[in-house]
Amino acid sequence: MRSKNKKSKKWLKITGIIFLVLIIGAGAYAYTVYNSLKTAVNTMHEPIERKQSEKRPKPVELVEKDPFSVLLLGIDSKGDKGRTDTIIVLTVNPNTNSAKMLSIPRDTRTEIIGKGFDDKINHAHAFGGVEMAMDTVENFLDIPIDYYMKVNMEGFKDIVDAVGGVTVTNNLEFTQDKVHFPVGEITLTGEEALPYVRMRKQDPNGDFGRNTRQRQVIQAVIKEGASLSSLTNFPEIFNAIGTNIKTNLTFEQMVDIQKNYKSVGTNVEQMEIKGTGTKIDGIYYLQIPQDEKLRVQTELKAQLELDTTTAQN
């Protein structure tokens, strides 16, 4: 299947792919691989001005194998103030050899930290960039957000193609952007993967169904990126990463993650947070019940080895 539509307007949680591929990725320290990765990460590096989170007692020490969190943002604009079409929080714990990947629906109504009013959570980046997005998600989940990664939508196609395409199992037949997706096992190119993860209106589960397809593609890219055959493609993979990703992680921190956390990539648990759609002043929002929010907060705090006896209201 080949799509002729090259103007995809939506984005998925691709940053999760890139980050986990880096964790479990090549694992080799051959000279050429090492330097290719270093060049890509130096291009990606974009520090931010943000104080140490009050929700974390002490800074993360990756060399000590501390659990940590990453905010993964898919941006629907190449500009710095685009709305985030996709928001994921990834929490990594090497002590339990596990990672949890939480999808936050973009229409979730919550307080926008720094603005003082409630709005859709995906507006935080548009209002105040990465810093406001991190502060808002941190407040919503009541956990520290240590790092961020954001990617522009065109990067998704490049990453999928760099690993040679992905194979997923589709449980809903549909056509999106003139590409037909039958039920069953299908192999997607980067051009086809974009409409596959974008589709929402034809899915009876709406955003939640789309989130499931996004996670399918994430795990498929992780699998391909971790395979020995993909090592021969590392120049293409690293070029796609360096071109399309921005992060506050340094090269040295990436190396520490690869050394100390690489086995975590084989044990990734997908999480969802449920809510009810409602309209306020004619605008659609997803309202998250308090007990559901507390459930998710408690699970993520346990994953980060934080105090679970208290949770934010």
Side-chain angles (χ1 to χ4, degrees):
M1 296 179 294
R2 295 278 179 181
S3 171
K4 295 182 181 179
N5 184 349
K6 297 183 178 180
K7 295 182 179 179
S8 302
K9 295 181 180 179
K10 301 296 180 183
W11 177 235
L12 83 137
K13 36 192 88 165
I14 182 62
T15 35
I17 297 173
I18 287 67
F19 183 71
L20 286 173
V21 167
L22 285 172
I23 290 177
I24 63 180
Y29 283 92
Y31 182 80
T32 54
V33 176
Y34 180 91
N35 280 279
S36 294
L37 176 59
K38 185 174 183 178
T39 299
V41 174
N42 286 340
T43 302
M44 293 162 56
H45 184 60
E46 190 171 89
I48 57 175
E49 295 183 5
R50 190 167 180 261
K51 295 180 180 179
Q52 169 72 26
S53 172
E54 296 179 355
K55 300 182 185 299
R56 183 173 288 287
K58 61 178 183 178
V60 171
E61 294 290 347
L62 296 175
V63 294
E64 299 295 331
K65 299 184 178 182
D66 287 347
F68 66 92
S69 64
V70 186
L71 177 62
L72 311 170
L73 301 171
I75 308 299
D76 63 6
S77 167
K78 292 185 179 180
D80 289 338
K81 294 298 179 68
R83 294 179 181 178
T84 46
D85 188 58
T86 295
I87 304 170
I88 304 178
V89 173
L90 184 71
T91 53
V92 180
N93 188 327
N95 301 317
T96 58
N97 194 37
S98 66
K100 292 182 184 288
M101 185 182 295
L102 171 69
S103 305
I104 303 178
R106 58 185 180 173
D107 293 328
T108 299
R109 184 176 172 85
T110 190
E111 180 184 356
I112 305 299
I113 301 303
K115 287 294 183 179
F117 55 77
D118 289 359
D119 204 340
K120 295 184 179 184
I121 198 167
N122 75 329
H123 289 187
H125 184 272
F127 288 141
V130 169
E131 293 90 341
M132 189 170 289
M134 293 177 74
D135 290 344
T136 297
V137 172
E138 183 171 280
N139 180 71
F140 176 67
L141 295 176
D142 197 29
I143 62 169
I145 300 297
D146 302 307
Y147 307 108
Y148 84 90
M149 277 195 170
K150 72 174 181 178
V151 65
N152 73 70
M153 52 177 274
E154 288 302 316
F156 172 59
K157 179 175 63 178
D158 296 339
I159 294 290
V160 172
D161 285 338
V163 299
V166 295
T167 299
V168 298
T169 300
N170 182 30
N171 60 8
L172 177 67
E173 182 177 5
F174 65 94
T175 298
Q176 177 75 19
D177 295 340
K178 299 181 181 180
V179 183
H180 180 68
F181 300 97
V183 171
E185 187 175 278
I186 55 177
T187 299
L188 307 172
T189 65
E191 192 81 16
E192 295 158 351
L194 275 171
Y196 181 75
V197 300
R198 284 180 58 203
M199 194 279 285
R200 174 172 60 98
K201 293 183 178 180
Q202 301 173 59
D203 195 318
N205 293 319
D207 266 342
F208 295 108
R210 183 175 65 169
N211 288 345
T212 297
R213 286 187 294 280
Q214 291 172 343
R215 288 193 297 269
Q216 281 183 325
V217 174
I218 288 174
Q219 292 191 318
V221 172
I222 292 169
K223 181 180 179 180
E224 293 297 330
S227 69
L228 291 177
S229 62
S230 292
L231 293 182
T232 61
N233 298 329
F234 72 84
E236 292 83 359
I237 295 173
F238 292 161
N239 180 66
I241 290 171
T243 302
N244 296 293
I245 307 301
K246 294 300 179 184
T247 180
N248 60 338
L249 283 162
T250 65
F251 176 73
E252 290 74 19
Q253 289 172 323
M254 290 280 191
V255 171
D256 288 336
I257 289 171
Q258 197 286 319
K259 287 180 179 179
N260 300 321
Y261 300 79
K262 60 184 178 181
S263 63
V264 172
T266 61
N267 185 19
V268 181
E269 178 185 345
Q270 302 171 6
M271 295 176 60
E272 286 187 347
I273 187 167
K274 299 289 188 178
T276 303
T278 186
K279 283 193 174 182
I280 301 176
D281 296 329
I283 299 174
Y284 176 85
Y285 296 96
L286 185 72
Q287 295 276 35
I288 307 299
Q290 186 61 26
D291 58 348
E292 172 71 351
K293 187 162 71 169
L294 293 177
R295 177 190 67 81
V296 170
Q297 289 176 351
T298 300
E299 186 171 346
L300 291 178
K301 286 180 180 180
Q303 174 73 357
L304 293 174
E305 298 183 1
L306 301 172
D307 183 9
T308 61
T309 59
T310 60
Q312 175 180 283
N313 292 323

